[in-house]
Coordinates of all heavy atoms in Angstrom, one line a residue:
M1466 N -0.8 -25.5 -7.4 CA -1.6 -24.4 -8.0 C -1.4 -23.2 -7.1 O -1.3 -23.3 -5.9 CB -3.0 -24.9 -8.0 CG -4.0 -23.8 -8.5 SD -5.7 -24.3 -8.7 CE -6.2 -24.8 -7.1
I1467 N -1.4 -22.0 -7.7 CA -1.3 -20.7 -7.1 C -2.6 -19.9 -7.3 O -3.0 -19.7 -8.4 CB -0.1 -19.9 -7.6 CG1 1.2 -20.6 -7.5 CG2 -0.1 -18.5 -6.9 CD1 1.7 -20.9 -6.1
K1468 N -3.2 -19.6 -6.2 CA -4.4 -18.7 -6.3 C -3.9 -17.2 -6.2 O -3.0 -16.9 -5.5 CB -5.3 -18.9 -5.1 CG -6.0 -20.2 -5.1 CD -7.1 -20.3 -6.1 CE -8.3 -19.5 -5.6 NZ -9.5 -19.6 -6.4
H1469 N -4.5 -16.4 -7.1 CA -4.1 -15.0 -7.2 C -5.4 -14.2 -7.1 O -6.2 -14.2 -8.0 CB -3.4 -14.8 -8.5 CG -3.0 -13.4 -8.9 ND1 -2.1 -12.6 -8.1 CD2 -3.5 -12.5 -9.9 CE1 -2.0 -11.4 -8.7 NE2 -2.8 -11.3 -9.7
I1470 N -5.5 -13.5 -6.0 CA -6.8 -12.7 -5.8 C -6.4 -11.2 -5.6 O -5.5 -10.9 -4.8 CB -7.5 -13.2 -4.6 CG1 -7.9 -14.7 -4.8 CG2 -8.7 -12.3 -4.3 CD1 -8.5 -15.4 -3.6
V1471 N -7.0 -10.4 -6.4 CA -6.7 -8.9 -6.3 C -8.0 -8.2 -6.2 O -9.0 -8.5 -6.9 CB -5.9 -8.4 -7.5 CG1 -5.5 -7.0 -7.3 CG2 -4.7 -9.3 -7.8
M1472 N -8.1 -7.2 -5.3 CA -9.3 -6.4 -5.1 C -8.9 -4.9 -5.2 O -7.9 -4.5 -4.7 CB -9.9 -6.6 -3.8 CG -10.3 -8.1 -3.6 SD -11.1 -8.4 -2.0 CE -9.8 -7.9 -0.8
W1473 N -9.8 -4.1 -5.9 CA -9.5 -2.7 -6.1 C -10.7 -1.9 -5.6 O -11.9 -2.3 -5.8 CB -9.3 -2.4 -7.5 CG -8.2 -3.0 -8.2 CD1 -6.9 -2.4 -8.3 CD2 -8.1 -4.2 -8.9 NE1 -6.1 -3.2 -9.0 CE2 -6.8 -4.4 -9.4 CE3 -9.0 -5.2 -9.2 CZ2 -6.4 -5.5 -10.1 CZ3 -8.6 -6.3 -9.9 CH2 -7.3 -6.4 -10.4
K1474 N -10.4 -0.9 -4.8 CA -11.4 0.1 -4.5 C -11.1 1.3 -5.3 O -9.9 1.8 -5.4 CB -11.3 0.5 -3.0 CG -12.4 1.5 -2.5 CD -12.3 1.8 -1.1 CE -12.6 0.6 -0.3 NZ -12.7 0.8 1.2
L1475 N -12.1 1.9 -6.0 CA -11.8 2.9 -7.0 C -12.2 4.3 -6.5 O -13.0 4.4 -5.6 CB -12.7 2.6 -8.3 CG -12.4 1.2 -8.9 CD1 -13.2 1.1 -10.2 CD2 -11.0 1.0 -9.1
K1476 N -11.6 5.3 -7.1 CA -11.9 6.7 -6.8 C -13.3 7.0 -7.3 O -13.8 6.4 -8.3 CB -10.9 7.6 -7.5 CG -9.4 7.4 -7.0 CD -8.5 8.2 -7.9 CE -7.0 8.0 -7.5 NZ -6.1 8.7 -8.3
Q1477 N -13.9 8.0 -6.7 CA -15.2 8.4 -7.1 C -15.2 8.8 -8.6 O -16.2 8.5 -9.3 CB -15.8 9.5 -6.2 CG -16.2 9.1 -4.8 CD -17.4 8.1 -4.8 OE1 -18.2 8.1 -5.7 NE2 -17.4 7.3 -3.8
E1478 N -14.2 9.5 -9.0 CA -14.0 10.0 -10.3 C -12.6 10.0 -10.7 O -11.7 10.3 -9.9 CB -14.6 11.4 -10.6 CG -16.1 11.4 -10.5 CD -16.7 12.7 -11.0 OE1 -16.0 13.5 -11.7 OE2 -17.8 13.0 -10.6
A1479 N -12.3 9.5 -11.9 CA -10.9 9.5 -12.4 C -10.9 9.3 -13.9 O -11.8 8.7 -14.4 CB -10.1 8.4 -11.7
E1480 N -9.9 9.8 -14.6 CA -9.8 9.7 -16.0 C -11.0 10.1 -16.8 O -11.4 9.5 -17.8 CB -9.4 8.2 -16.3 CG -8.1 7.7 -15.7 CD -6.9 8.5 -16.3 OE1 -6.6 8.3 -17.5 OE2 -6.2 9.2 -15.6
G1481 N -11.7 11.1 -16.2 CA -12.9 11.6 -16.9 C -14.2 10.8 -16.8 O -15.1 11.0 -17.5
A1482 N -14.2 9.8 -15.9 CA -15.3 8.9 -15.7 C -15.6 8.7 -14.2 O -14.8 8.9 -13.4 CB -15.0 7.6 -16.4
D1483 N -16.8 8.2 -14.0 CA -17.2 7.9 -12.6 C -16.7 6.5 -12.2 O -16.2 5.7 -13.0 CB -18.7 8.1 -12.3 CG -19.6 7.1 -13.1 OD1 -19.1 6.1 -13.6 OD2 -20.8 7.4 -13.2
R1484 N -16.9 6.2 -10.9 CA -16.5 4.9 -10.4 C -17.0 3.7 -11.2 O -16.3 2.8 -11.5 CB -16.9 4.8 -8.9 CG -16.5 3.5 -8.3 CD -17.0 3.4 -6.9 NE -16.1 4.0 -6.0 CZ -16.3 4.2 -4.7 NH1 -17.4 3.8 -4.1 NH2 -15.4 4.8 -4.0
L1485 N -18.3 3.7 -11.4 CA -18.9 2.6 -12.1 C -18.4 2.4 -13.6 O -18.1 1.3 -14.0 CB -20.5 2.7 -12.2 CG -21.2 1.6 -12.9 CD1 -20.9 0.2 -12.2 CD2 -22.7 1.8 -12.8
A1486 N -18.2 3.5 -14.3 CA -17.7 3.4 -15.6 C -16.3 2.9 -15.6 O -15.9 2.0 -16.4 CB -17.7 4.8 -16.3
N1487 N -15.5 3.3 -14.6 CA -14.1 2.8 -14.5 C -14.1 1.4 -14.1 O -13.2 0.6 -14.6 CB -13.3 3.7 -13.6 CG -12.9 5.0 -14.3 OD1 -12.7 5.1 -15.5 ND2 -12.8 6.1 -13.5
A1488 N -15.0 1.0 -13.3 CA -15.0 -0.5 -12.9 C -15.3 -1.3 -14.1 O -14.7 -2.4 -14.3 CB -16.1 -0.7 -11.8
R1489 N -16.3 -0.9 -14.9 CA -16.6 -1.7 -16.1 C -15.5 -1.7 -17.1 O -15.2 -2.7 -17.7 CB -17.9 -1.0 -16.8 CG -19.1 -1.3 -16.0 CD -20.3 -0.6 -16.6 NE -21.5 -0.9 -15.9 CZ -22.6 -0.1 -15.9 NH1 -22.6 1.0 -16.6 NH2 -23.7 -0.5 -15.2
E1490 N -14.7 -0.6 -17.2 CA -13.6 -0.6 -18.1 C -12.5 -1.5 -17.5 O -11.8 -2.2 -18.3 CB -13.0 0.8 -18.2 CG -11.9 1.0 -19.1 CD -12.1 0.5 -20.6 OE1 -13.2 0.3 -21.0 OE2 -11.1 0.3 -21.3
M1491 N -12.3 -1.5 -16.2 CA -11.3 -2.4 -15.6 C -11.7 -3.9 -16.0 O -10.8 -4.7 -16.3 CB -11.2 -2.2 -14.1 CG -10.5 -1.0 -13.7 SD -10.4 -0.9 -11.9 CE -9.1 -2.1 -11.5
K1492 N -12.9 -4.2 -15.8 CA -13.4 -5.6 -16.1 C -13.1 -5.9 -17.5 O -12.6 -7.0 -17.8 CB -14.8 -5.8 -15.7 CG -15.4 -7.2 -16.0 CD -16.8 -7.4 -15.5 CE -17.4 -8.7 -15.8 NZ -16.6 -9.8 -16.4
R1493 N -13.5 -5.0 -18.4 CA -13.3 -5.3 -19.8 C -11.8 -5.6 -20.1 O -11.5 -6.5 -20.8 CB -13.8 -4.1 -20.7 CG -13.7 -4.3 -22.2 CD -13.9 -3.0 -23.0 NE -12.8 -2.1 -22.8 CZ -11.6 -2.3 -23.4 NH1 -11.3 -3.3 -24.2 NH2 -10.7 -1.3 -23.3
R1494 N -10.9 -4.7 -19.6 CA -9.5 -4.9 -19.9 C -9.0 -6.2 -19.2 O -8.2 -6.9 -19.8 CB -8.7 -3.7 -19.3 CG -9.0 -2.5 -20.1 CD -8.2 -1.3 -19.6 NE -8.6 0.0 -20.3 CZ -7.8 1.0 -20.4 NH1 -6.6 1.0 -19.8 NH2 -8.2 2.1 -21.0
L1495 N -9.4 -6.5 -18.0 CA -9.0 -7.7 -17.3 C -9.5 -9.0 -18.1 O -8.7 -9.9 -18.2 CB -9.4 -7.7 -15.9 CG -8.6 -7.0 -14.9 CD1 -9.3 -6.9 -13.6 CD2 -7.2 -7.7 -14.7
D1496 N -10.7 -8.9 -18.5 CA -11.2 -10.1 -19.2 C -10.4 -10.4 -20.4 O -10.3 -11.6 -20.8 CB -12.7 -9.8 -19.6 CG -13.7 -10.0 -18.5 OD1 -13.3 -10.6 -17.5 OD2 -14.8 -9.4 -18.6
E1497 N -9.8 -9.5 -21.0 CA -8.9 -9.7 -22.2 C -7.6 -10.5 -21.8 O -6.9 -11.0 -22.7 CB -8.5 -8.4 -22.9 CG -9.7 -7.7 -23.6 CD -9.4 -6.4 -24.2 OE1 -8.2 -5.9 -23.9 OE2 -10.2 -5.8 -24.9
C1498 N -7.3 -10.5 -20.5 CA -6.1 -11.2 -20.0 C -6.4 -12.7 -19.7 O -5.5 -13.4 -19.3 CB -5.6 -10.5 -18.8 SG -4.9 -8.9 -19.2
A1499 N -7.6 -13.1 -19.8 CA -8.0 -14.5 -19.3 C -7.2 -15.6 -19.9 O -7.2 -16.7 -19.3 CB -9.5 -14.7 -19.5
S1500 N -6.6 -15.4 -21.1 CA -5.9 -16.6 -21.7 C -4.6 -16.1 -22.3 O -4.2 -16.7 -23.3 CB -6.8 -17.2 -22.7 OG -7.2 -16.3 -23.7
I1501 N -4.0 -15.1 -21.8 CA -2.8 -14.6 -22.4 C -1.5 -15.4 -22.3 O -0.6 -15.3 -23.1 CB -2.5 -13.1 -22.0 CG1 -2.2 -13.0 -20.5 CG2 -3.5 -12.2 -22.5 CD1 -1.8 -11.6 -20.0
V1502 N -1.5 -16.3 -21.3 CA -0.4 -17.2 -21.1 C -0.9 -18.6 -20.8 O -2.0 -18.8 -20.3 CB 0.6 -16.8 -20.0 CG1 1.2 -15.4 -20.3 CG2 -0.1 -16.7 -18.6
P1503 N -0.1 -19.6 -21.1 CA -0.5 -21.0 -20.7 C -0.4 -21.1 -19.2 O 0.3 -20.4 -18.5 CB 0.6 -21.9 -21.3 CG 1.3 -21.0 -22.4 CD 1.1 -19.6 -22.0
G1504 N -1.3 -21.9 -18.6 CA -1.2 -22.2 -17.2 C -2.2 -21.4 -16.4 O -2.3 -21.6 -15.2
I1505 N -3.1 -20.6 -17.0 CA -4.2 -20.0 -16.3 C -5.3 -21.0 -16.2 O -5.8 -21.5 -17.2 CB -4.7 -18.7 -17.1 CG1 -3.6 -17.7 -17.1 CG2 -5.9 -18.2 -16.4 CD1 -4.0 -16.4 -17.9
L1506 N -5.6 -21.4 -15.0 CA -6.6 -22.4 -14.7 C -8.0 -21.8 -14.5 O -9.0 -22.5 -14.8 CB -6.2 -23.3 -13.5 CG -4.9 -23.9 -13.6 CD1 -4.6 -24.6 -12.3 CD2 -4.8 -24.9 -14.8
H1507 N -8.1 -20.7 -13.9 CA -9.3 -20.0 -13.6 C -9.1 -18.5 -13.6 O -8.0 -18.0 -13.2 CB -9.8 -20.4 -12.2 CG -11.0 -19.7 -11.7 ND1 -12.3 -20.1 -12.2 CD2 -11.2 -18.7 -10.8 CE1 -13.2 -19.3 -11.6 NE2 -12.6 -18.4 -10.8
F1508 N -10.0 -17.8 -14.2 CA -9.9 -16.3 -14.3 C -11.3 -15.7 -14.3 O -12.0 -15.8 -15.2 CB -9.1 -16.0 -15.6 CG -8.5 -14.6 -15.6 CD1 -7.2 -14.5 -15.3 CD2 -9.2 -13.5 -16.1 CE1 -6.6 -13.2 -15.3 CE2 -8.6 -12.3 -16.1 CZ -7.3 -12.1 -15.7
E1509 N -11.6 -15.1 -13.2 CA -12.9 -14.5 -13.0 C -12.8 -13.1 -12.5 O -12.1 -12.8 -11.5 CB -13.7 -15.3 -12.0 CG -15.1 -14.7 -11.6 CD -15.8 -15.5 -10.5 OE1 -15.1 -16.1 -9.7 OE2 -17.0 -15.5 -10.5
V1510 N -13.4 -12.2 -13.2 CA -13.5 -10.8 -12.8 C -14.9 -10.4 -12.5 O -15.8 -10.7 -13.3 CB -13.0 -9.9 -14.0 CG1 -12.9 -8.4 -13.5 CG2 -11.6 -10.3 -14.5
A1511 N -15.1 -9.8 -11.3 CA -16.4 -9.4 -10.9 C -16.5 -8.0 -10.4 O -15.5 -7.5 -9.8 CB -16.9 -10.4 -9.8
L1512 N -17.6 -7.4 -10.5 CA -17.9 -6.1 -10.0 C -18.8 -6.1 -8.8 O -19.7 -7.0 -8.7 CB -18.5 -5.2 -11.1 CG -17.8 -5.1 -12.4 CD1 -18.5 -4.1 -13.4 CD2 -16.3 -4.6 -12.2
A1513 N -18.6 -5.2 -7.9 CA -19.5 -5.1 -6.7 C -21.0 -5.0 -7.3 O -21.2 -4.2 -8.2 CB -19.2 -3.9 -5.9
Q1514 N -21.9 -5.7 -6.6 CA -23.3 -5.6 -7.0 C -24.1 -4.8 -6.1 O -24.0 -4.9 -4.9 CB -23.9 -7.1 -7.0 CG -23.1 -8.0 -7.9 CD -23.3 -7.6 -9.4 OE1 -24.4 -7.6 -9.9 NE2 -22.2 -7.3 -10.0
P1515 N -24.9 -3.9 -6.7 CA -25.8 -3.0 -5.8 C -26.7 -3.9 -4.9 O -27.2 -4.9 -5.4 CB -26.7 -2.3 -6.8 CG -25.9 -2.3 -8.1 CD -25.1 -3.6 -8.1
G1516 N -26.8 -3.5 -3.7 CA -27.7 -4.3 -2.7 C -27.0 -5.4 -2.0 O -27.6 -6.0 -1.1
L1517 N -25.7 -5.7 -2.4 CA -25.0 -6.8 -1.7 C -23.8 -6.1 -1.1 O -23.2 -5.2 -1.6 CB -24.5 -7.8 -2.7 CG -25.6 -8.7 -3.4 CD1 -25.0 -9.6 -4.4 CD2 -26.4 -9.5 -2.4
E1518 N -23.4 -6.6 0.1 CA -22.3 -6.1 0.8 C -21.0 -6.2 0.0 O -20.6 -7.3 -0.5 CB -22.1 -6.8 2.1 CG -21.0 -6.1 3.0 CD -20.9 -6.8 4.4 OE1 -21.7 -7.6 4.8 OE2 -19.9 -6.4 5.0
A1519 N -20.2 -5.1 -0.1 CA -19.0 -5.1 -0.8 C -18.1 -3.9 -0.3 O -18.6 -2.8 -0.2 CB -19.1 -5.0 -2.3
T1520 N -16.9 -4.2 0.0 CA -16.0 -3.1 0.5 C -15.0 -2.7 -0.6 O -14.3 -1.7 -0.5 CB -15.2 -3.5 1.7 OG1 -14.5 -4.7 1.5 CG2 -16.2 -3.6 2.9
Y1521 N -15.0 -3.5 -1.7 CA -14.2 -3.2 -2.9 C -15.1 -3.2 -4.1 O -16.2 -3.7 -4.1 CB -13.0 -4.2 -3.0 CG -11.9 -3.8 -2.0 CD1 -12.0 -4.2 -0.7 CD2 -10.8 -3.1 -2.5 CE1 -11.0 -3.8 0.2 CE2 -9.8 -2.8 -1.6 CZ -9.9 -3.1 -0.2 OH -8.9 -2.8 0.6
D1522 N -14.6 -2.6 -5.2 CA -15.4 -2.4 -6.4 C -15.2 -3.5 -7.5 O -16.1 -3.8 -8.2 CB -15.1 -1.0 -7.0 CG -15.4 0.1 -6.1 OD1 -16.6 0.2 -5.7 OD2 -14.5 0.9 -5.7
V1523 N -14.0 -3.9 -7.6 CA -13.6 -4.9 -8.6 C -12.7 -6.0 -7.9 O -11.9 -5.7 -7.1 CB -12.8 -4.3 -9.7 CG1 -12.4 -5.3 -10.8 CG2 -13.5 -3.1 -10.3
I1524 N -13.0 -7.2 -8.3 CA -12.1 -8.4 -7.8 C -11.7 -9.2 -9.0 O -12.5 -9.5 -9.9 CB -12.9 -9.2 -6.8 CG1 -11.9 -10.2 -6.2 CG2 -14.1 -9.8 -7.3 CD1 -12.5 -10.9 -4.9
L1525 N -10.5 -9.7 -8.9 CA -10.0 -10.7 -9.8 C -9.7 -12.0 -8.9 O -8.9 -11.9 -8.0 CB -8.7 -10.3 -10.5 CG -7.9 -11.4 -11.2 CD1 -8.7 -12.0 -12.4 CD2 -6.5 -10.9 -11.7
N1526 N -10.4 -13.0 -9.3 CA -10.2 -14.3 -8.6 C -9.6 -15.3 -9.6 O -10.3 -15.6 -10.6 CB -11.5 -14.8 -8.0 CG -11.4 -16.1 -7.3 OD1 -10.3 -16.6 -7.1 ND2 -12.5 -16.7 -7.1
S1527 N -8.3 -15.6 -9.5 CA -7.7 -16.4 -10.5 C -6.9 -17.5 -9.9 O -6.5 -17.5 -8.8 CB -6.9 -15.5 -11.5 OG -5.9 -14.8 -10.7
A1528 N -6.5 -18.5 -10.8 CA -5.7 -19.6 -10.3 C -4.8 -20.0 -11.5 O -5.1 -20.0 -12.7 CB -6.5 -20.8 -10.0
F1529 N -3.5 -20.3 -11.1 CA -2.5 -20.6 -12.1 C -1.9 -21.9 -11.7 O -1.8 -22.3 -10.5 CB -1.4 -19.5 -12.1 CG -1.9 -18.2 -12.5 CD1 -2.6 -17.3 -11.7 CD2 -1.7 -17.7 -13.8 CE1 -3.1 -16.1 -12.1 CE2 -2.1 -16.5 -14.3 CZ -2.9 -15.7 -13.4
E1530 N -1.4 -22.7 -12.7 CA -0.9 -24.0 -12.4 C 0.4 -24.0 -11.7 O 0.7 -25.0 -11.0 CB -0.8 -24.8 -13.7 CG 0.2 -24.4 -14.7 CD 0.3 -25.2 -15.9 OE1 -0.7 -26.0 -16.2 OE2 1.3 -25.1 -16.7
S1531 N 1.1 -22.9 -11.7 CA 2.4 -22.8 -11.0 C 2.8 -21.3 -10.8 O 2.2 -20.4 -11.4 CB 3.5 -23.5 -11.9 OG 3.7 -22.7 -13.1
R1532 N 3.8 -21.2 -10.0 CA 4.4 -19.8 -9.8 C 4.9 -19.3 -11.1 O 4.8 -18.1 -11.4 CB 5.5 -19.9 -8.8 CG 5.0 -20.1 -7.4 CD 6.2 -20.3 -6.4 NE 5.7 -20.7 -5.1 CZ 5.9 -20.1 -4.0 NH1 6.5 -18.9 -4.0 NH2 5.4 -20.5 -2.9
D1533 N 5.5 -20.1 -12.0 CA 6.0 -19.7 -13.3 C 4.9 -19.2 -14.1 O 5.1 -18.2 -14.8 CB 6.8 -20.8 -14.0 CG 8.1 -21.2 -13.3 OD1 8.6 -20.4 -12.5 OD2 8.6 -22.3 -13.6
A1534 N 3.7 -19.8 -14.1 CA 2.6 -19.3 -14.9 C 2.1 -18.0 -14.4 O 1.8 -17.1 -15.2 CB 1.5 -20.3 -14.9
L1535 N 2.1 -17.8 -13.1 CA 1.7 -16.5 -12.5 C 2.7 -15.4 -12.9 O 2.3 -14.3 -13.3 CB 1.5 -16.6 -11.0 CG 1.2 -15.3 -10.3 CD1 0.0 -14.6 -10.8 CD2 1.2 -15.6 -8.8
E1536 N 4.0 -15.8 -12.8 CA 5.0 -14.8 -13.2 C 4.9 -14.4 -14.7 O 5.1 -13.3 -15.1 CB 6.4 -15.4 -12.9 CG 7.5 -14.4 -13.1 CD 8.9 -14.9 -12.6 OE1 8.9 -15.6 -11.6 OE2 9.9 -14.5 -13.3
A1537 N 4.6 -15.4 -15.5 CA 4.5 -15.1 -17.0 C 3.3 -14.2 -17.2 O 3.4 -13.3 -18.0 CB 4.3 -16.4 -17.7
Y1538 N 2.2 -14.4 -16.5 CA 1.1 -13.5 -16.6 C 1.4 -12.1 -16.1 O 1.1 -11.1 -16.8 CB -0.1 -14.1 -15.7 CG -1.2 -13.1 -15.5 CD1 -2.1 -12.8 -16.4 CD2 -1.3 -12.5 -14.2 CE1 -3.1 -11.9 -16.2 CE2 -2.3 -11.5 -14.0 CZ -3.2 -11.3 -15.0 OH -4.2 -10.4 -14.8
A1539 N 2.1 -12.0 -15.0 CA 2.4 -10.7 -14.4 C 3.3 -9.9 -15.3 O 3.3 -8.7 -15.3 CB 3.1 -10.9 -13.0
N1540 N 4.2 -10.6 -16.0 CA 5.2 -9.9 -16.9 C 4.7 -9.8 -18.4 O 5.5 -9.2 -19.2 CB 6.5 -10.6 -16.8 CG 7.1 -10.4 -15.4 OD1 7.2 -9.3 -15.0 ND2 7.5 -11.5 -14.8
H1541 N 3.6 -10.3 -18.7 CA 3.1 -10.3 -20.1 C 2.8 -8.8 -20.5 O 2.2 -8.1 -19.7 CB 1.8 -11.2 -20.2 CG 1.5 -11.4 -21.6 ND1 0.8 -10.5 -22.4 CD2 1.7 -12.5 -22.4 CE1 0.6 -11.0 -23.6 NE2 1.1 -12.2 -23.7
P1542 N 3.1 -8.4 -21.7 CA 2.9 -7.0 -22.1 C 1.4 -6.6 -22.0 O 1.1 -5.5 -21.7 CB 3.3 -7.0 -23.6 CG 4.3 -8.1 -23.7 CD 3.8 -9.2 -22.7
T1543 N 0.5 -7.5 -22.3 CA -1.0 -7.2 -22.2 C -1.3 -6.9 -20.7 O -2.1 -5.9 -20.5 CB -1.8 -8.4 -22.7 OG1 -1.5 -8.6 -24.1 CG2 -3.3 -8.0 -22.6
H1544 N -0.8 -7.6 -19.8 CA -1.1 -7.4 -18.4 C -0.4 -6.1 -18.0 O -1.0 -5.2 -17.3 CB -0.6 -8.5 -17.5 CG -0.7 -8.3 -16.1 ND1 0.3 -7.9 -15.3 CD2 -1.8 -8.4 -15.3 CE1 -0.1 -7.8 -14.0 NE2 -1.4 -8.0 -14.0
K1545 N 0.9 -5.9 -18.3 CA 1.6 -4.7 -18.0 C 0.9 -3.4 -18.5 O 1.0 -2.3 -17.9 CB 3.0 -4.8 -18.4 CG 3.8 -5.7 -17.6 CD 5.3 -5.6 -17.8 CE 6.1 -6.3 -16.9 NZ 6.5 -5.6 -15.7
A1546 N 0.3 -3.5 -19.7 CA -0.4 -2.4 -20.3 C -1.6 -1.9 -19.4 O -2.0 -0.7 -19.6 CB -0.9 -2.7 -21.7
L1547 N -2.1 -2.7 -18.6 CA -3.2 -2.3 -17.7 C -2.8 -1.3 -16.6 O -3.6 -0.5 -16.1 CB -3.8 -3.6 -17.0 CG -4.3 -4.7 -17.8 CD1 -4.7 -5.9 -16.8 CD2 -5.5 -4.3 -18.6
M1548 N -1.6 -1.4 -16.2 CA -1.1 -0.7 -15.0 C -1.4 0.8 -15.0 O -1.8 1.3 -14.0 CB 0.4 -1.0 -14.7 CG 0.7 -2.5 -14.5 SD -0.4 -3.2 -13.3 CE -0.3 -4.9 -13.7
P1549 N -1.0 1.6 -16.0 CA -1.3 3.0 -15.9 C -2.7 3.4 -15.7 O -3.0 4.2 -14.8 CB -0.8 3.5 -17.3 CG 0.2 2.5 -17.8 CD -0.3 1.2 -17.3
F1550 N -3.6 2.7 -16.4 CA -5.1 3.0 -16.1 C -5.5 2.6 -14.7 O -6.1 3.4 -14.0 CB -5.9 2.4 -17.2 CG -7.4 2.6 -17.0 CD1 -8.0 3.8 -17.3 CD2 -8.2 1.6 -16.5 CE1 -9.4 4.0 -17.0 CE2 -9.5 1.8 -16.2 CZ -10.1 3.0 -16.5
F1551 N -5.1 1.4 -14.3 CA -5.5 0.9 -13.0 C -5.0 1.8 -11.9 O -5.7 2.1 -10.9 CB -5.0 -0.5 -12.8 CG -5.9 -1.6 -13.5 CD1 -6.5 -1.3 -14.7 CD2 -6.0 -2.8 -13.0 CE1 -7.3 -2.2 -15.4 CE2 -6.7 -3.8 -13.7 CZ -7.4 -3.5 -14.8
K1552 N -3.7 2.2 -12.0 CA -3.1 3.1 -11.0 C -3.9 4.5 -11.0 O -4.0 5.1 -9.9 CB -1.7 3.3 -11.2 CG -0.9 2.1 -10.8 CD 0.6 2.3 -11.1 CE 1.4 1.0 -10.7 NZ 2.8 1.1 -11.0
A1553 N -4.3 4.9 -12.1 CA -5.0 6.2 -12.2 C -6.4 6.2 -11.6 O -6.8 7.2 -11.0 CB -5.1 6.7 -13.6
V1554 N -7.1 5.1 -11.6 CA -8.4 5.0 -11.1 C -8.6 4.4 -9.8 O -9.6 4.6 -9.1 CB -9.4 4.3 -12.2 CG1 -9.3 5.0 -13.5 CG2 -9.0 2.8 -12.3
R1555 N -7.6 3.7 -9.3 CA -7.8 3.1 -8.0 C -7.5 4.0 -6.8 O -6.6 4.9 -6.9 CB -6.9 1.8 -7.9 CG -5.4 2.1 -7.6 CD -4.6 0.9 -7.4 NE -3.3 1.2 -6.9 CZ -2.2 0.6 -7.3 NH1 -2.3 -0.4 -8.1 NH2 -1.1 1.0 -6.8
D1556 N -8.2 3.7 -5.7 CA -7.9 4.3 -4.5 C -7.1 3.4 -3.6 O -6.2 3.8 -2.9 CB -9.3 4.7 -3.8 CG -9.1 5.7 -2.7 OD1 -8.2 6.5 -2.7 OD2 -10.0 5.7 -1.8
E1557 N -7.5 2.1 -3.6 CA -6.8 1.1 -2.9 C -6.7 -0.2 -3.7 O -7.5 -0.5 -4.5 CB -7.5 0.7 -1.6 CG -7.6 1.9 -0.6 CD -8.4 1.5 0.7 OE1 -8.3 0.3 1.0 OE2 -9.0 2.3 1.2
R1558 N -5.7 -1.0 -3.4 CA -5.5 -2.3 -4.0 C -5.0 -3.3 -2.9 O -4.1 -3.0 -2.1 CB -4.4 -2.2 -5.1 CG -4.1 -3.6 -5.7 CD -3.0 -3.4 -6.7 NE -2.6 -4.7 -7.3 CZ -1.7 -5.5 -6.8 NH1 -1.0 -5.3 -5.7 NH2 -1.4 -6.6 -7.5
Q1559 N -5.6 -4.5 -2.9 CA -5.2 -5.6 -2.0 C -4.9 -6.8 -2.9 O -5.7 -7.0 -3.9 CB -6.3 -5.9 -1.0 CG -6.6 -4.7 -0.1 CD -5.4 -4.4 0.8 OE1 -4.7 -5.2 1.3 NE2 -5.3 -3.1 1.1
C1560 N -3.9 -7.5 -2.6 CA -3.6 -8.7 -3.4 C -3.1 -9.8 -2.4 O -2.5 -9.5 -1.4 CB -2.4 -8.4 -4.3 SG -1.9 -9.8 -5.3
M1561 N -3.5 -11.0 -2.8 CA -3.0 -12.2 -2.0 C -2.8 -13.3 -3.0 O -3.6 -13.7 -3.8 CB -4.0 -12.6 -0.9 CG -3.5 -13.8 -0.1 SD -4.6 -14.0 1.3 CE -3.8 -15.4 2.0
D1562 N -1.6 -13.9 -2.9 CA -1.2 -15.1 -3.7 C -1.0 -16.2 -2.6 O -0.3 -15.9 -1.6 CB 0.0 -14.9 -4.5 CG -0.1 -13.8 -5.6 OD1 -1.3 -13.7 -6.1 OD2 0.8 -13.2 -5.9
Y1563 N -1.5 -17.4 -2.9 CA -1.2 -18.5 -2.0 C -1.2 -19.8 -2.8 O -1.9 -20.0 -3.8 CB -2.1 -18.5 -0.8 CG -3.6 -18.7 -1.1 CD1 -4.2 -19.9 -1.1 CD2 -4.4 -17.5 -1.5 CE1 -5.6 -20.0 -1.4 CE2 -5.7 -17.7 -1.8 CZ -6.3 -18.9 -1.7 OH -7.6 -19.0 -2.1
E1564 N -0.5 -20.8 -2.2 CA -0.5 -22.1 -2.8 C -1.6 -23.0 -2.3 O -1.9 -22.9 -1.1 CB 0.9 -22.8 -2.5 CG 1.9 -22.7 -3.6 CD 3.1 -23.5 -3.4 OE1 4.0 -22.9 -2.8 OE2 3.2 -24.7 -3.7
V1565 N -2.2 -23.8 -3.2 CA -3.2 -24.7 -2.8 C -2.7 -26.1 -3.0 O -2.1 -26.4 -4.0 CB -4.5 -24.5 -3.7 CG1 -5.6 -25.4 -3.4 CG2 -5.0 -23.0 -3.6

């Protein structure tokens, strides 16, 4: 199994919206990817919660049955379509993939 965790820190304003609106839009778009390829075992998108410590605004915590499944996800057209918006609104991105 491959864990795939990605975190984004967003710009205060981008694409005509504020940070919170863009975070919600990122979550909506990511949630649509939860079952785009076989082999997705876990797919959770969360937003930073007011009053709780958070250094990033959006997190994807996911698990794939294999490297091939993760690669299929990464190359899927639905996933690739996210990139222009995500790049426009993010300030920072961190990613870690590891085998379990």
Side-chain angles (χ1 to χ4, degrees):
M1466 177 172 63
I1467 304 292
K1468 293 284 288 183
H1469 174 65
I1470 299 171
V1471 187
M1472 300 182 300
W1473 297 269
K1474 185 179 291 189
L1475 305 185
K1476 297 174 183 174
Q1477 288 294 332
E1478 291 193 20
E1480 299 294 293
D1483 66 15
R1484 177 185 278 177
L1485 180 57
N1487 284 330
R1489 288 178 177 152
E1490 180 61 15
M1491 285 181 75
K1492 179 175 176 10
R1493 184 192 70 74
R1494 292 181 186 202
L1495 276 168
D1496 283 340
E1497 292 177 351
C1498 293
S1500 60
I1501 59 173
V1502 296
I1505 297 175
L1506 304 175
H1507 176 77
F1508 200 93
E1509 175 185 27
V1510 182
L1512 303 181
Q1514 299 296 299
L1517 295 175
E1518 184 177 350
T1520 55
Y1521 282 79
D1522 300 299
V1523 182
I1524 186 170
L1525 169 62
N1526 179 10
S1527 57
F1529 295 80
E1530 68 182 14
S1531 66
R1532 290 174 189 240
D1533 289 341
L1535 176 57
E1536 187 174 324
Y1538 166 77
N1540 292 310
H1541 192 280
T1543 300
H1544 177 258
K1545 286 192 170 269
L1547 303 175
M1548 299 309 156
F1550 177 75
F1551 282 30
K1552 286 180 181 178
V1554 301
R1555 80 173 186 217
D1556 196 27
E1557 295 179 31
R1558 176 186 178 271
Q1559 298 294 323
C1560 178
M1561 184 170 176
D1562 297 329
Y1563 61 95
E1564 262 186 270
V1565 178

